[in-house]
Amino acid sequence: MHLDFINALCATEIKEEKNMISNTQITAQPEYDIQFWNAMRNKEAREDILAKGRDISTGTYSMPTVAAGKVMNEIEKESDFRKIATVIRAYKNGYKIFAKDCKDKAKFVAEGAAIPLYESAGDFDEKTIESYKLASIVTLDEDFVNDAGFDIEKYLTQKLGKSFGKAEDNAFINGTGADEPTGILHHTDGAKTALTVETLTYDDVISLYFSVDKEYRKNGIWLMNDKTALALRKLKDNNGNYLWNQANDTILGKQVIISEYMPDIETGTKPIAFGDFSYYWIVGRKPVTVRTLLEKFVLYDQIGYLAFEFLDGKLVRNEAIKVIQMADAGK
């Protein structure tokens, strides 16, 4: 689910702390595109034009609009989490913003009657959305850089998209909230623990499913890794019926997403998550920025490219997703 930066009454609200001038119009200009790729090829480039897209904090330059879009497309192809979460772009806002979420309410009103105002202030759950910096370095042989026929844009957008997508998924699941997004497995700000078990059984998975409120079960999705999926494929009830539907790879009619970043079924881990992942918000804060690294790789006849993505991720309604916790040893 993708959303542009919006303020919506009650259901979703994001409030900015301070404004920041957007450079979207600058990076969409053909001249900026030319100068940017000249710089990426280590050719002479007009600094007065590039400076308009420069990020002072990192010394990098915003990618041209078209190229930035290609990077995001590659990230979305690589990332399993972006396919099930809510993605919001908040490029025009300052370093820190506040996300609020509350229960949606609707009520029938008689013709001509006054519309009742719902006093929802106390229901808002406020989350602070930061601008965390995700870094990636890509290298390329100088022979390719200097080859006018080599599609450097395609190379960089695909490489950066793949590396960013993998790093994002890991953070959206296991992130600590310190200099990175807060993952769904975070011990206090992540998904709620439905039950703690010593061994994983058929009944435990059923209990996890029904521990999630019906509101969130409706669009519920299972998240686990390959090893856990294999274990669940083998689980049967007392009548020999498999828990896993082999025909369509679902559990209790709900889709299963396999992620390498979910933990194995081991002591103290949370190997299975279930719920409505649209309540996990991925908030993009700035377009991808890049600069060359010349000296570091000169001995290898290569040019390095340092890129940054600025984003945050948080579960804005913790009860929307629940997990099974494996018991600690000795407990």
Side-chain angles (χ1 to χ4, degrees):
M1 181 185 298
H2 298 267
L3 297 173
D4 283 318
F5 175 72
I6 57 173
N7 286 325
L9 180 61
C10 185
T12 55
E13 179 186 353
I14 298 182
K15 182 175 64 179
E16 62 182 293
E17 185 175 77
K18 63 178 181 177
N19 291 325
M20 182 176 64
I21 298 174
S22 171
N23 64 356
T24 304
Q25 292 181 335
I26 295 170
T27 58
Q29 295 174 358
E31 186 60 28
Y32 183 86
D33 186 273
I34 293 171
Q35 300 307 320
F36 177 87
W37 291 112
N38 280 346
M40 294 302 104
R41 288 187 178 276
N42 197 26
K43 295 167 63 177
E44 185 177 350
R46 289 183 55 182
E47 180 60 29
D48 60 321
I49 293 177
L50 284 177
K52 297 176 182 178
R54 188 171 187 267
D55 186 301
I56 299 175
S57 64
T58 59
T60 54
Y61 300 93
S62 295
M63 295 192 80
T65 302
V66 172
K70 291 178 180 179
V71 172
M72 290 309 304
N73 287 339
E74 293 296 330
I75 291 174
E76 289 165 3
K77 284 197 295 185
E78 185 66 35
S79 170
D80 291 318
F81 220 92
R82 280 181 175 264
K83 297 178 179 68
I84 56 178
T86 294
V87 181
I88 301 170
R89 288 178 288 271
Y91 291 168
K92 296 182 180 180
N93 302 277
Y95 178 77
K96 185 180 292 186
I97 56 179
F98 300 96
K100 295 185 178 182
D101 180 73
C102 74
K103 300 288 185 180
D104 306 318
K105 290 188 179 292
K107 185 176 181 180
F108 285 103
V109 180
E111 185 68 30
I115 299 176
L117 294 177
Y118 172 56
E119 297 295 335
S120 60
D123 288 345
F124 276 115
D125 184 14
E126 184 173 279
K127 305 280 186 178
T128 303
I129 304 296
E130 306 286 350
S131 182
Y132 294 122
K133 183 169 59 178
L134 178 60
S136 176
I137 294 179
V138 172
T139 59
L140 184 60
D141 290 342
E142 288 190 12
D143 288 341
F144 288 109
V145 175
N146 297 324
D147 182 356
F150 179 74
D151 193 342
I152 189 173
E153 179 178 350
K154 181 179 180 180
Y155 177 84
L156 282 181
T157 54
Q158 288 183 343
K159 285 287 188 179
L160 292 175
K162 188 170 185 177
S163 61
F164 280 141
K166 286 180 174 293
E168 282 185 6
D169 272 11
N170 188 23
F172 299 151
I173 292 173
N174 299 299
T176 63
D179 299 322
E180 64 181 355
T182 303
I184 60 165
L185 300 186
H186 192 274
H187 61 288
T188 57
D189 295 323
K192 291 189 175 181
T193 299
L195 63 160
T196 301
V197 300
E198 293 183 358
T199 59
L200 196 58
T201 68
Y202 185 106
D203 289 344
D204 294 332
V205 180
I206 300 297
S207 295
L208 172 60
Y209 177 84
F210 282 101
S211 72
V212 176
D213 190 273
K214 184 178 179 181
E215 175 185 357
Y216 309 120
R217 291 205 307 267
K218 181 179 180 181
N219 297 311
I221 290 174
W222 301 92
L223 186 69
M224 64 193 72
N225 70 15
D226 262 328
K227 289 184 179 179
T228 303
L230 177 60
L232 265 58
R233 280 179 178 271
K234 299 177 180 180
L235 292 181
K236 301 178 184 179
D237 64 14
N238 293 331
N239 297 318
N241 299 310
Y242 282 99
L243 171 70
W244 191 290
N245 188 327
Q246 310 291 337
N248 57 14
D249 286 334
T250 60
I251 298 175
L252 301 177
K254 301 301 181 182
Q255 179 186 5
V256 180
I257 297 290
I258 304 297
S259 173
E260 62 184 295
Y261 302 109
M262 285 292 287
D264 292 340
I265 304 173
E266 296 177 347
T267 300
T269 66
K270 299 174 181 177
I272 306 174
F274 174 73
D276 189 340
F277 286 80
S278 69
Y279 289 97
Y280 190 92
W281 287 7
I282 300 170
V283 185
R285 303 307 314 280
K286 294 181 187 178
V288 173
T289 62
V290 186
R291 71 178 173 90
T292 55
L293 298 174
L294 302 177
E295 295 83 2
K296 187 175 181 64
F297 300 99
V298 66
L299 295 179
Y300 306 97
D301 294 323
Q302 292 180 327
I303 291 180
Y305 298 92
L306 173 62
F308 293 107
E309 185 187 11
F310 300 84
L311 75 163
D312 196 3
K314 278 186 171 64
L315 184 59
V316 298
R317 201 177 289 184
N318 299 82
E319 70 272 18
I321 303 173
K322 292 192 177 180
V323 297
I324 285 180
Q325 168 107 35
M326 304 307 295
D328 290 331
K331 291 188 178 180

